[in-house]
Structure formats: structure tokens, C-alpha cells
């Protein structure tokens, strides 16, 4: 244990004092804040304040659509109306779109049998971010006009088409109803997956590269003269894992200070409000430690079989594919946290660290599934440690020989 702690202390201090740690610790929070601010600013500009022209051959329909567009107080449309519009009018409006005098042109055409077709023309391929609001205004305007044409007064038509908002509630684990979190779980799931995956992959792969560098510099031959290979591997895992926990603690502290500042109110404006429960706070470091131990142990053993960092690249899918699978399961998780795929991903050791915590934010996970997830992770770590330590013992002292599959099997037998 003394040797393990000495090696862990060496690895921890070496990583903490490195420029890469300081750079990533400071840069990542600043980058996240900058991206959030930029996204909020561009989204606000993309969705609101659009200047749109309506060209139609039916003035009644065009007026009702214009009325519905102006009724959308959030979109803040500026609407010009040309109805009935000739081909020359449409050509002139398209030129204004081309010259960026207006943002887009909505053309509404009515055929002889009463069928209505509409096109929206703008400089960008998608038109604008609030295209759904435009379609909604168009359809409501058409319904209004058809109801009025059948003798219903405009005020009555508006009353019949009055929107009804749906309040979403959620049952908690005590069986009581509470306000649904809306889209917040999605953002929280992505945030937790990011906070878990980045240190796990960053430090796990960094540890693997360090093993290759130390192997090439022959420093292992000196270190193995005073300690066993298993103690050396365990010390590295403890030291580098502590570095990852330190970085996450710094990020969490910075996030807490940022969310309590006035800057956060301007950046995170709107209904988005992310809160972490006590259970999520308790299990976050647990799943980080277990996930880091699993992936770093695996890559440490594989790194001992490599001569260069380029040789390590062929093992990269073992780290990337589980992360991609976890991100791919998030939409399924948000739709039904109790689906077979969501439960399987939260139990499978390679994806459990990335999936179980977001699932805990959506519902009360059964205790047996939580215990099974942690138990399977510990079992997978034990099996990976058995495999990697045997590769590690032989591989770190093996030079100039390609580690083929039969060769790896012989290493496992030797150790």
C-alpha cells in the first residue's frame, strides 16, 4: 500500500502541475460559457424580429395570415402584405430578399378548386429557425378565413381557435405530482455525459500515452526494481483518478459561482433551469471513479502492448463507441426511461456511467437496478484488471516485438 500511495502521489503532483491540466481546467469552463452565450444570442436573433413579406392572390387569406403572424408576440414579425400580387410584384419582392431588404417571402396561391399552396423563399436553406411558427400562422389563418366564409364572425372564429396550453406533470417516487422538467432533462443529460466522458477519456488515454512514453524511456526498469508491476499500475490509477476528481470539483465550484452571478442570468435567460438532486450529487463521483477505473485499466494494459502512440490509435474505438452508443440512447431515454434499451444501457458496464445518471434525473431508478449497475461495473473492473495486469507485467518490458493475438495469449499464460 505504501508503494501504491507513493506512486499515486507522484502521478497526482505531476499531472496537477502540468500545463495541460491548468489549460484544460480553465479553458473548458470558459469555452462552455462562451458557447452558451453565443447560442443564446444567435438563437434570439434567429427566431425573433424577422421581416417577412406576404404575396397572395387572395386578399382575405393573406390578411388572416398576417393577423396570425402579428399575434405571435414572441416571434415579433414585421409583415408586409401584397395582395392580390402580380408576377411583377413577386419578382420585386424576391429582389428585396436577394438584396437582404427583407428576410423572406411567403407566397400563397389559391387554385380554381379552392386548394391552397404556399412557398417560403429566403437566402438560407432552412428559411429561419421559427419556420414552425410560420406554418402554424398560415394554417390558423386559413382556418379563420374558411370559418368566416361560412358565416362565422371573426371574434367567434378567434374564440373557437383559442389556444389551450398543456401543463405537464410528473409523478415522483412518493407518488405525488410535481411540475414536469420539460426539456431540462435533455440538457442536464448531455451536461452530465460531457462532464463524465471528457475526464474519463482525457485522463484514461493520457495515462495510456504516459505508459508508452515511460516504456520507451526505460524508466519502468528502474521503477520495477523497487515495486511490483501490479502496485505500479494501481498507483497510476489512483493518482490519475484523483486528478480527474480534482478537475471535476473545480468545474463544479466554478459552475456554482457562475450560476449565482448576474452574468448567468443574461446567458441562461429563459425557462431553462438545471438542478441536481442529492442522489445525483452522491452518485456522480461514484460513476466517475468506476467509469475511469474501467476504461483506464483497459487502456493501461493495452498501452503496455504498444511501442508508439500511433499503435494505441487502433484501440480508440473501444473508448469512442461506448460514448457514441450512450449519446445515441439519450433520445430513447428521454422518451421512456423504463424501456428495454434504456435499462440495458444503464446496466451494461461500458455505457452505464454515461446513462445511469441521466436516467436518475428523469425518474426514480429502482434500487436493484442501481445496485446491479454498480455491481456489474465492479465485476467488469475486476475482470479488466485481471486481464490488463497480466498484459502489463510482460508488455512493459517487451521491446521490438509486435503484440499479435497469439502473442497476447502467451503473455497471459506467462503471467
Amino acid at each position: 500500500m505504501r508503494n501504491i500511495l507513493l506512486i499515486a502521489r507522484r502521478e497526482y503532483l505531476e499531472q496537477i502541475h502540468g500545463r495541460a491540466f491548468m489549460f484544460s481546467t480553465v479553458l473548458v469552463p470558459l469555452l462552455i460559457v462562451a458557447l452558451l452565450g453565443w447560442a443564446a444570442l444567435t438563437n434570439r436573433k434567429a427566431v425573433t424580429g424577422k421581416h417577412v413579406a406576404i404575396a397572395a392572390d387572395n386578399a382575405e387569406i393573406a390578411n388572416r395570415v398576417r393577423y396570425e403572424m402579428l399575434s405571435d408576440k414572441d416571434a415579433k414579425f414585421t409583415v408586409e402584405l401584397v395582395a392580390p400580387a402580380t408576377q411583377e410584384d413577386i419578382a420585386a419582392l424576391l429582389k428585396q430578399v436577394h438584396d437582404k431588404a427583407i428576410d423572406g417571402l411567403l407566397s400563397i396561391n389559391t387554385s380554381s378548386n379552392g386548394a391552397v399552396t404556399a412557398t417560403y423563399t429566403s437566402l438560407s436553406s432552412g428559411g429561419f429557425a421559427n419556420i414552425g411558427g410560420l406554418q402554424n400562422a398560415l394554417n390558423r389563418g386559413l382556418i379563420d378565413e374558411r370559418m368566416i366564409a361560412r358565416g362565422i364572425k371573426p371574434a367567434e372564429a378567434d374564440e373557437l381557435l383559442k389556444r389551450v396550453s398543456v401543463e405537464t406533470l410528473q409523478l415522483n417516487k412518493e407518488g405525488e405530482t410535481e411540475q414536469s422538467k420539460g426539456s431540462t432533462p435533455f440538457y442536464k443529460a448531455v451536461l452530465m455525459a460531457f462532464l463524465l466522458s471528457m475526464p474519463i477519456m482525457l485522463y484514461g488515454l493520457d495515462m495510456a500515452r504516459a505508459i508508452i512514453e515511460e516504456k520507451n524511456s526505460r524508466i519502468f526498469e528502474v521503477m520495477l526494481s523497487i515495486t511490483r508491476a501490479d502496485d505500479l499500475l494501481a498507483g497510476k490509477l489512483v493518482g490519475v483518478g484523483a486528478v480527474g476528481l480534482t478537475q471535476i470539483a473545480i468545474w463544479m465550484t466554478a459552475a456554482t459561482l457562475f450560476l449565482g452571478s448576474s452574468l448567468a442570468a443574461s446567458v441562461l435567460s429563459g425557462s431553462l433551469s438545471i438542478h441536481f438532486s442529492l442522489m445525483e450529487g452522491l452518485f456522480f463521483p461514484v460513476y466517475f471513479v468506476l467509469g475511469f477505473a474501467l476504461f483506464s485499466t483497459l487502456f493501461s494494459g493495452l498501452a503496455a502492448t504498444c511501442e508508439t502512440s500511433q499503435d494505441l490509435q487502433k484501440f480508440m474505438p473501444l473508448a469512442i463507441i461506448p460514448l457514441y452508443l450512450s449519446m445515441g440512447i439519450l433520445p430513447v431515454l428521454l422518451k421512456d426511461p423504463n424501456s428495454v434499451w434504456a435499462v440495458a444501457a444503464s446496466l451494461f458496464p461500458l455505457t452505464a456511467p454515461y446513462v445511469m445518471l441521466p436516467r436518475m434525473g428523469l425518474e426514480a431508478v429502482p434500487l436493484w437496478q442501481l445496485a446491479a449497475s454498480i455491481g456489474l461495473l465492479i465485476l467488469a473492473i475486476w475482470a479488466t484488471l485481471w486481464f490488463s495486469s497480466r498484459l502489463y507485467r510482460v508488455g512493459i518490458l517487451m521491446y521490438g516485438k509486435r503484440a499479435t493475438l497469439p502473442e497476447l495469449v502467451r503473455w497471459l499464460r506467462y503471467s
Side-chain angles (χ1 to χ4, degrees):
M1 181 58 69
R2 177 177 178 275
N3 288 339
I4 293 175
L5 293 177
L6 285 174
I7 296 167
R9 181 175 181 273
R10 171 186 174 272
E11 292 291 334
Y12 181 81
L13 294 177
E14 185 177 323
Q15 293 272 359
I16 287 291
H17 294 147
R19 292 182 179 179
F21 175 83
M22 298 179 183
F23 185 73
S24 62
T25 302
V26 175
L27 179 63
V28 169
L30 292 178
L31 183 61
I32 292 176
V33 172
L35 289 176
L36 286 174
W38 176 255
L41 180 62
T42 55
N43 183 65
R44 197 175 294 122
K45 289 184 176 181
V47 174
T48 62
K50 291 297 178 180
H51 188 171
V52 179
I54 299 177
D57 53 9
N58 187 308
E60 289 77 10
I61 292 178
N63 276 301
R64 293 306 301 178
V65 173
R66 180 177 182 272
Y67 171 78
E68 292 294 339
M69 291 177 67
L70 294 177
S71 298
D72 190 346
K73 302 302 182 183
D74 295 329
K76 299 179 181 179
F77 285 117
T78 299
V79 184
E80 294 182 10
L81 182 62
V82 180
T86 64
Q87 292 297 323
E88 290 77 14
D89 294 330
I90 295 175
L93 291 172
L94 288 175
K95 187 177 185 304
Q96 291 186 45
V97 173
H98 183 269
D99 296 338
K100 299 182 180 180
I102 59 177
D103 293 306
L105 169 63
L106 176 63
S107 300
I108 305 174
N109 298 311
T110 306
S111 63
S112 56
N113 59 2
V116 177
T117 58
T119 58
Y120 179 76
T121 307
S122 66
L123 289 177
S124 61
S125 59
F128 54 96
N130 201 25
I131 190 68
L134 178 67
Q135 292 176 340
N136 186 41
L138 172 64
N139 287 295
R140 284 178 59 87
L142 289 174
I143 294 173
D144 281 353
E145 192 277 332
R146 288 165 181 169
M147 293 175 68
I148 293 171
R150 285 165 173 76
I152 300 177
K153 297 179 180 179
E156 295 176 349
D158 291 339
E159 184 65 25
L160 291 173
L161 295 175
K162 188 176 181 180
R163 296 172 182 266
V164 178
S165 59
V166 178
E167 181 183 7
T168 57
L169 302 176
Q170 183 177 2
L171 283 176
N172 58 23
K173 59 183 179 181
E174 288 82 15
E176 300 175 351
T177 58
E178 59 184 17
Q179 191 71 31
S180 177
K181 302 178 181 63
S183 61
T184 299
F186 172 77
Y187 296 105
K188 186 166 74 170
V190 173
L191 178 61
M192 286 194 292
F194 171 79
L195 289 176
L196 279 169
S197 62
M198 184 174 178
I200 287 174
M201 294 186 65
L202 177 65
Y203 290 109
L205 294 175
D206 185 59
M207 181 175 170
R209 294 189 187 97
I211 289 175
I212 295 175
E213 292 175 2
E214 293 175 354
K215 176 180 177 179
N216 292 333
S217 65
R218 303 295 181 93
I219 194 174
F220 272 124
E221 298 178 6
V222 178
M223 299 176 70
L224 289 175
S225 65
I226 60 173
T227 186
R228 297 183 308 167
D230 291 348
D231 294 341
L232 186 59
L233 178 59
K236 281 182 167 292
L237 290 173
V238 173
V240 178
V243 174
L245 285 175
T246 301
Q247 189 171 62
I248 289 178
I250 294 173
W251 288 347
M252 290 297 187
T253 303
T256 302
L257 295 175
F258 169 73
L259 292 175
S261 66
S262 58
L263 178 62
S266 60
V267 173
L268 298 176
S269 59
S271 59
L272 181 62
S273 179
I274 298 178
H275 301 282
F276 293 95
S277 66
L278 178 61
M279 290 290 289
E280 291 170 320
L282 292 175
F283 280 97
F284 188 91
V286 172
Y287 275 98
F288 167 76
V289 170
L290 294 177
F292 170 79
L294 178 62
F295 284 99
S296 60
T297 301
L298 175 62
F299 276 93
S300 297
L302 295 176
T305 68
C306 301
E307 294 290 336
T308 64
S309 297
Q310 287 74 21
D311 294 337
L312 184 65
Q313 297 300 318
K314 60 186 177 184
F315 298 118
M316 283 293 293
L318 294 176
I320 295 176
I321 290 177
L323 179 59
Y324 283 172
L325 289 175
S326 302
M327 291 299 182
I329 206 71
L330 287 182
V332 179
L333 184 67
L334 292 170
K335 184 177 180 180
D336 184 7
N338 283 317
S339 66
V340 175
W341 292 108
V343 174
S346 62
L347 296 178
F348 184 55
L350 293 178
T351 56
Y354 308 134
V355 176
M356 181 56 84
L357 279 173
R359 189 171 168 228
M360 290 175 62
L362 293 171
E363 65 159 9
V365 178
L367 290 179
W368 73 266
Q369 292 184 12
L370 192 59
S373 174
I374 295 176
L376 289 173
L377 263 171
I378 294 175
L379 184 62
I381 292 170
W382 177 84
T384 306
L385 187 60
W386 179 91
F387 171 79
S388 295
S389 62
R390 279 153 178 78
L391 293 182
Y392 189 82
R393 291 173 190 172
V394 180
I396 56 175
L397 296 176
M398 189 70 66
Y399 303 99
K401 191 172 185 179
R402 183 174 294 276
T404 61
L405 183 58
E407 187 69 23
L408 295 181
V409 174
R410 281 195 291 272
W411 290 8
L412 293 174
R413 290 206 309 265
Y414 293 158
S415 56

